[in-house]
């Protein structure tokens, strides 16, 4: 699939939320995320039905490993081949793999080996798909619309999480894991023709000075391209500290809002329904932040805004452990979601607007690896620490780690003063 299907060279007069080209991309992304949500639910259900809980956990883990290990290589491929070609090809492979396993489950009982193989294939292809998806927005709209596109992307993620899980549950109830896999495959299949119809905008030529500094050059090997991308991020005055801020924020955020919340709900006697209400408050806040960016389109003083969202958001995480009752906890979680959603979308927009076009796939891959590789570390650490010291101290330490991300932003002059294009 050629990567040269382009829109007219003149900048689009319409904002992103009124641009049919952007809306086709958002629709494709939403369908693909819905398919992902249903897929992971079906995979977990089928693994539990075909093996022990330990074996089910292993199946889920073997899919996550190649996604993290191969992400940086996926970014290199995206920059070499172009994000459009890679995202269409990888989404098609994901679709075929899921539908193939659905057919196998309809016809026979292949056992855990087929589920493990599917998880490995899906995770491997995701290592290409995720950097390509992240590198596409600057190719379909102007830089001044990227914050709005990040808001629209956030709304798609929230919709997928709200609709996808019940949809997957209905599919499992109607026809078992085979029906759920078929549903996931069809949703992903819906995204492929939408992606094919998306037109690319011409980008400015690569920054020659940046390429020379990073050690990139024509005819280089994939390994040299990978090293050049890492050096580019490390030396960049905005991207380097921004990656550190994202890592600290995710490390401090993941533990309390995942395993920590379950332990807090059990400690306070809120039960599973109470935990669901708190998670719902977080989701509503994150959705509101995404809607705000999608409608407003730009936040002035983006660097200061990132720090201004991370630091109070971190304080709210610490306060969650001391909420006197469930209604207050839901309100605090809504605030956490609002501030985390705002800072996350702004960080994504800054990554895209500050990156040289020639490095965007690799920059996106580094950002994805930071989140996928660092955030899960906070979960077992938080669980073990809560067992020793309780929820209050652990939530406070997690909040301090998260807040350090905001401090990094304020201490890096170029990042602190960074602006989104107007």
């Amino acid at each position: 699939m050629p990567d040269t299907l382009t829109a007219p060279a003149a900048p689009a007069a319409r904002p992103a939320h009124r641009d049919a080209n952007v809306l086709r991309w958002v629709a494709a992304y939403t369908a693909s995320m819905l398919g992902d949500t249903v897929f992971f639910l079906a995979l977990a259900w089928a693994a539990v039905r075909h093996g022990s809980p330990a074996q089910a956990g292993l199946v889920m883990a073997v899919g996550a490993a190649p996604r993290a290990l191969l992400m940086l290589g996926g970014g290199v491929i995206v920059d070499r081949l172009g994000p459009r070609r890679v995202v269409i090809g990888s989404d098609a492979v994901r679709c075929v793999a899921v539908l193939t396993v659905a057919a196998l489950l309809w016809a026979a009982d292949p056992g855990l080996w087929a589920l493990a193989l599917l998880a490995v294939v899906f995770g491997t292809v995701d290592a290409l798909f995720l950097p390509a998806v992240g590198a596409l927005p600057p190719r379909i709209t102007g830089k001044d619309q990227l914050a709005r596109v990040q808001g629209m992307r956030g709304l798609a993620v929230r919709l997928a999480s709200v609709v996808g899980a019940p949809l997957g549950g209905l599919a499992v109830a109607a026809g078992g894991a085979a029906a759920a896999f078929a549903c996931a495959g069809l949703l992903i299949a819906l995204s492929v023709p939408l992606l094919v119809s998306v037109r690319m905008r011409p980008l400015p030529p690569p920054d020659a000075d940046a390429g020379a500094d990073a050690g990139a050059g024509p005819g280089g090997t994939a390994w040299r391209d990978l090293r050049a991308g890492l050096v580019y991020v490390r030396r960049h005055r905005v991207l380097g500290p921004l990656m550190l801020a994202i890592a600290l924020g995710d490390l401090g955020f993941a533990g309390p809002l995942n395993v920590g919340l379950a332990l807090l709900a059990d400690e306070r006697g809120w039960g599973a329904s109470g935990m669901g209400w708190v998670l719902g408050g977080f989701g509503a806040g994150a959705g509101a932040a995404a809607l705000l960016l999608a409608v407003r389109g730009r936040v002035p003083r983006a660097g200061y805004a990132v720090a201004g969202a991370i630091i109070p958001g971190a304080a709210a995480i610490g306060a969650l452990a001391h909420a006197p009752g469930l209604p207050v906890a839901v309100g605090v979680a809504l605030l956490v979601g609002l501030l985390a959603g705002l800072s996350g979308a702004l960080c994504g927009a800054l990554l895209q607007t500050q990156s040289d076009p020639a490095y965007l796939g690799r920059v996106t891959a580094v950002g994805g690896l930071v989140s996928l590789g660092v955030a899960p570390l906070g979960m077992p650490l938080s669980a073990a620490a809560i067992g020793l010291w309780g929820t209050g101290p652990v939530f406070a330490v997690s909040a301090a780690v998260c807040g350090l991300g905001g401090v990094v932003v304020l201490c890096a002059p170029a990042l602190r003063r960074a602006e989104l294009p107007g």
Side-chain angles (χ1 to χ4, degrees), residues 235-266:
R235 292 182 178 177
H236 199 286
R237 294 184 302 162
V238 173
L239 298 179
L242 183 58
M243 292 296 183
L244 178 58
I246 292 172
L248 290 168
D250 285 347
L251 182 61
F253 178 85
L257 267 296
N258 289 279
V259 63
L261 182 57
L263 296 173
L264 179 65
D266 181 65

Side-chain angles (χ1 to χ4, degrees), residues 32-141:
S32 189
M33 290 301 99
L34 279 169
D36 276 10
T37 304
V38 176
F39 165 77
F40 285 114
L41 186 147
L43 183 64
W45 175 263
V48 168
R49 297 283 291 179
H50 286 80
S52 66
Q55 289 173 324
L58 183 60
V59 167
M60 303 302 289
V62 298
R67 185 182 300 112
L69 292 174
L70 302 176
M71 182 79 72
L72 294 179
V76 172
I77 294 174
V78 168
D79 284 337
R80 284 196 160 207
L81 301 181
R84 181 175 184 270
R85 184 182 305 176
V86 174
V87 78
I88 292 172
S90 58
D91 216 25
V93 172
R94 284 157 30 108
C95 171
V96 171
V98 175
L99 290 177
T100 299
V101 171
L104 283 175
L105 289 174
W106 276 117
D109 185 5
L112 280 174
W113 70 267
L115 299 176
L117 180 60
L118 173 63
V120 169
V121 171
F122 203 88
T124 301
V125 178
D126 259 1
L128 293 169
F129 177 78
L130 295 176
V133 165
L136 265 179
R139 307 287 185 107
I140 61 175
T141 191

Side-chain angles (χ1 to χ4, degrees), residues 253 256-257 260-285 313 315-338 391 395:
F253 178 85
L257 267 296
L261 182 57
L263 296 173
L264 179 65
D266 181 65
E267 177 186 290
R268 296 296 184 86
W270 296 339
S273 63
M275 185 179 73
W277 277 105
V278 176
L279 287 173
F282 170 79
I317 290 174
L320 188 59
H322 303 283
L326 181 58
V328 176
V330 173
V332 173
L334 190 147
L335 178 62
V336 172
L338 179 66
T391 54
F395 271 63

Side-chain angles (χ1 to χ4, degrees), residues 64 67-72 75 126-127 129-132 134-135 153 233 243 246-247 250 348 351 360-376:
R67 185 182 300 112
L69 292 174
L70 302 176
M71 182 79 72
L72 294 179
D126 259 1
F129 177 78
L130 295 176
R153 184 177 177 181
V233 171
M243 292 296 183
I246 292 172
D250 285 347
L351 285 178
L360 191 52
R362 282 164 285 180
V363 170
T364 304
V366 172
L369 183 61
V370 164
S371 295
L372 291 174
V374 172

